[in-house]
Amino acid sequence: MQRHQNYIGKWVPPETGQYYQSHNPACPSQVLGDFPRSGTADVDAAVASAATALAMWRQTQAPQRSAILLRFSQLLLESKNDLARIVTLEQGKALCESIGEVTRAAAEAAFAAGEALRLSGQTFPSERPGFSCYTVLQPVGVVAAITPWNFPVVSPVRKIAPAIACGNTVVLKPASLTPHSAVFLSGLLERAGLPPGVLNLVIGSGECGERLISDPRVRGISFTGSTAVGVRIAEKLAARMAKVQLELGGKNPAIVLECDDLDGAAQEIVAAAFLCSGQRCTALSRVIVDQSQADQLCQRLVTHMEKIRVGNGLDPQNTMGPLVSRQQLETVTGYVRKGLAEPSSLIVGGRQLAVDPDREGYFYAPTLFDHVSPTSALAQEEIFGPVLPIIRVRNAEEAFDVANGTRYGLAASLFTGNRHLVDQFVERVESGMVHINHGTSSQPHVPFGGVKDSGQGAFSIGPTSKEAFTNVKTVYIKW
Ligand code: NAP
Ligand code: MG
C-alpha cells in the first residue's frame, strides 16, 4: 500500500503522523492508498512555505512562468492515461470521462500559460501636463485553492494554473475523497520545473480548509464546492477583506419549448444530466417542458437513458460509474424517497444497482420523474446524482418563471426552433451561462461561472480568470 505525503517545499509526512485510507467507490473494500490526515501545523507550514516563495515567484519573469505552465500542460497530456486511471479509481467516473477531464485540464493550463504573457494594464491620457497615468496587474499574494471531489484534476488546475501564471503562490487543499489526483498533479508541476514553495499541497479534512482560510497571510481564495461552505468562506474573508472567487452549486434547467428536434434535445439532456453520475455542478438537473411536447420528450429521454451502461468506470464498455461515496448514495436515495412521497410519477430508475453484488459499489440507476411540482425538493435542491425531474408548464412565460424560481443560477439550456424564444431566454434567465440547443458543456478558454447562490467573484477560465488572481495598481508619474 502506497503512503503518500504532503508537498510543502518538498514531499513531507504530516506533522500529525496520521494517515487515512482512500477507497474505490466501485468496490469500497479496495483501499487505494494512505494519505496525510494533516493538522493545523501542516496547514501553517504550507502557508509559510507559500509566503516565503512569493517574493521570488512574483519577480520571476512572466515568460518563464509561462514556459513552466506549458511544460506542465504537455506533461498532463503525456501522462493522460495514468492520471485518468487514478481519477476513475478514486472518483468513479467512466474512464473516457476521466481522459476527457485530463485533456481539458491540459488545455486550460496552456491557456493560463498564455495569460502570463497578457498581464497587461491600461494607459490613460493625463488631465495635467507632464504626467503619465497607467495601471499594472500585480499578484494577490498567497492564494488558497480548495477543491471538490467531482473534478479532481480540472478543478485544482483551473485554480493553480492561472494563479501561478499571475505570479501568486498557492496552497491547495483538495477534497478528502480524491487526494491521489492532487498528489499526481503536484508531482507533474515539480517535474515541469516549478520552484519549491510556489505550489504547496496539504491533504486533510474540511478543518484544514477552515484553518487555511483563517490565516491572515492568505490574501485570496478560490473555492469550488457546496454553497453552504462557500457562504461561510465569503463571510469569513469579508472580515479581513481578502479576495474571493466562489464556484458553487447549481440546479440547471433544460427548457424545451416549440422544439423541432425532440430526439436531439433528449440526447443532449441525457448526456448533460448523467455524465459523472450527475455529480457535476453544471449537470442539467431539471427539465421544464411545454405540456404539448412533454409525453414525446419523456419517451425519448427514456430511450436515451436506457443506453447508459452503469458499472465499474475502468471497464471501457461502461458509460456511467458509481456515486463517489456512501454518503452521496444516501443523499440520492433520500431525495428519491421524497420524490416517491409526492404526487410525481417515477418513470425509470429510482433504485440502487447491484452491478456486482460481491463488491457493493455505490451504483445508482439513472432516474427520471415526471409531473414534478416546481416547488418540491426534487425541483429545488441540488441532488448531485443521476436523478432528473420533469416539470410540465403551460407556456414560455411559465417556463422562464420556473427556471428562475430556485436559489441557483449557474447554467441553463433551451431547446427550441423559435428564434424569438432564444432572445427572450438569453435576456431573462438568471444564469451565469446559457446554452441554446445543446447541453451544458463549456470550453477551456471561455469564462465560466454563476450568479445568485451559484457563485461570486470573477468567472474562472478565459480572460476573466486574471481578475481573481491579480490586483490592479494605478500609477501616476510626474516628470
Ligand atoms: P464541499 O463539502 O463544499 O467541499 C469542497 C471542499 O471544501 C473540499 O475540499 C472540502 O474538504 C472543503 N471544506 C469542507 N468544509 C470546509 C470548511 N468549513 N472550510 C473550508 N473548506 C472546507 O463540496 P463537495 O461535497 O466536495 O462537492 C460537491 C459540491 O460542490 C456540490 O454542491 C457542487 O455543486 C459543488 N461544485 C461546484 C462546481 C462549480 O464549478 N460551480 C464544481 C464542482 C462542484 P473535504 O473534502 O475534506 O470535506
Ligand atoms: Mg462535503
Side-chain angles (χ1 to χ4, degrees):
M1 183 56 49
Q2 203 178 349
R3 176 166 274 199
H4 299 274
Q5 312 292 18
N6 286 328
Y7 184 60
I8 302 176
K10 57 185 193 297
W11 294 98
V12 286
E15 299 265 355
T16 56
Q18 293 177 8
Y19 293 82
Y20 72 95
Q21 294 182 327
S22 88
H23 300 264
N24 179 351
C27 173
S29 58
Q30 185 189 354
V31 176
L32 299 173
D34 287 334
F35 293 88
R37 195 187 290 280
S38 302
T40 53
D42 300 295
V43 176
D44 296 353
V47 177
S49 165
T52 304
L54 182 62
M56 169 278 300
W57 186 243
R58 61 182 288 156
Q59 282 165 29
T60 300
Q61 295 307 114
Q64 219 173 314
R65 301 201 299 259
S66 176
I68 290 169
L69 279 169
L70 273 183
R71 270 202 297 280
F72 171 58
S73 170
Q74 195 55 43
L75 287 171
L76 274 168
L77 292 177
E78 284 168 19
S79 42
K80 184 168 65 182
N81 293 333
D82 294 342
L83 180 51
R85 197 182 145 76
I86 289 172
V87 171
T88 293
L89 277 171
E90 65 180 2
Q91 202 283 335
K93 66 181 73 174
L95 194 58
C96 58
E97 282 187 53
S98 298
I99 290 172
E101 180 176 347
V102 179
T103 310
R104 171 64 178 258
E108 292 193 21
F111 182 85
E115 286 294 88
L117 308 176
R118 294 188 285 266
L119 289 170
S120 45
Q122 287 179 288
T123 59
F124 300 85
S126 171
E127 179 189 63
R128 297 161 65 184
F131 271 77
S132 307
C133 313
Y134 62 94
T135 59
V136 291
L137 297 182
Q138 295 200 311
V140 170
V142 174
V143 167
I146 301 182
T147 52
W149 42 258
N150 57 346
F151 285 93
V153 172
V154 152
S155 213
V157 169
R158 188 169 291 174
K159 300 178 187 318
I160 296 167
I164 64 183
C166 294
N168 303 280
T169 56
V170 178
V171 179
L172 169 66
K173 204 305 279 176
S176 307
L177 289 172
T178 52
H180 197 179
S181 301
V183 167
F184 196 96
L185 288 174
S186 304
L188 289 189
L189 279 160
E190 185 183 31
R191 276 175 59 200
L194 192 70
V198 177
L199 170 73
N200 302 276
L201 169 67
V202 57
I203 297 169
S205 70
E207 282 166 36
C208 292
E210 189 82 42
R211 177 80 179 182
L212 187 55
I213 60 169
S214 308
D215 193 313
R217 293 170 294 182
V218 173
R219 296 307 309 156
I221 169 160
S222 179
F223 169 85
T224 300
S226 61
T227 297
V229 176
V231 167
R232 187 176 161 67
I233 289 174
E235 283 171 357
K236 272 201 108 151
L237 271 77
R240 60 183 172 85
M241 297 294 200
K243 213 161 177 172
V244 279
Q245 179 186 48
L246 303 174
E247 301 204 335
L248 309 174
K251 189 67 186 174
N252 313 298
I255 302 178
V256 182
L257 296 168
E258 297 180 38
C259 179
D260 41 26
D261 178 15
L262 282 178
D263 192 60
Q267 189 173 358
E268 288 279 333
I269 292 169
V270 167
F274 298 104
L275 273 172
C276 202
S277 306
Q279 303 165 115
R280 296 189 312 136
C281 53
T282 53
L284 285 175
S285 49
R286 299 182 279 160
V287 175
I288 301 170
V289 56
D290 188 284
Q291 57 192 7
S292 63
Q293 296 199 296
D295 288 339
Q296 285 169 291
L297 179 70
C298 183
Q299 244 173 39
R300 287 171 169 84
L301 287 171
V302 172
T303 304
H304 287 286
M305 285 171 67
E306 280 169 349
K307 294 181 193 156
I308 298 174
R309 210 182 125 158
V310 182
N312 190 324
L314 285 182
D315 178 343
Q317 298 205 316
N318 293 330
T319 53
M320 189 173 116
L323 292 162
V324 74
S325 63
R326 174 161 301 282
Q327 190 192 339
Q328 204 62 19
L329 180 65
E330 283 166 8
T331 304
V332 169
T333 308
Y335 276 111
V336 168
R337 206 176 297 124
K338 280 187 192 172
L340 290 171
E342 300 244 342
S344 52
S345 29
L346 177 67
I347 305 296
V348 280
R351 67 203 158 86
Q352 193 179 346
L353 285 181
V355 166
D356 178 349
D358 297 336
R359 292 169 176 242
E360 298 179 330
Y362 309 129
F363 297 101
Y364 203 88
T367 298
L368 186 67
F369 279 93
D370 197 359
H371 297 283
V372 175
S373 155
T375 55
S376 67
L378 282 186
Q380 285 289 323
E381 293 170 31
E382 183 182 51
I383 300 172
F384 230 51
V387 180
L388 187 62
I390 299 176
I391 302 161
R392 296 177 175 228
V393 293
R394 286 181 297 265
N395 51 44
E397 199 60 31
E398 189 182 349
F400 295 141
D401 286 345
V402 168
N404 288 340
T406 74
R407 60 195 291 224
Y408 295 109
L410 188 59
S413 291
L414 170 68
F415 297 88
T416 190
N418 180 338
R419 177 58 219 243
H420 178 61
L421 288 175
V422 172
D423 293 337
Q424 278 189 21
F425 171 72
V426 171
E427 165 61 23
R428 288 185 46 184
V429 168
E430 297 162 359
S431 182
M433 298 170 283
V434 293
H435 303 261
I436 319 300
N437 290 330
H438 68 99
T440 46
S441 53
S442 62
Q443 297 190 21
H445 59 293
V446 181
F448 179 102
V451 297
K452 293 163 78 178
D453 280 4
S454 292
Q456 196 182 81
F459 277 21
S460 62
I461 329 188
T464 48
S465 186
K466 287 198 288 284
E467 293 164 26
F469 298 108
T470 57
N471 289 329
V472 176
K473 182 176 277 178
T474 299
V475 183
Y476 292 93
I477 301 177
K478 184 184 175 200
W479 292 110

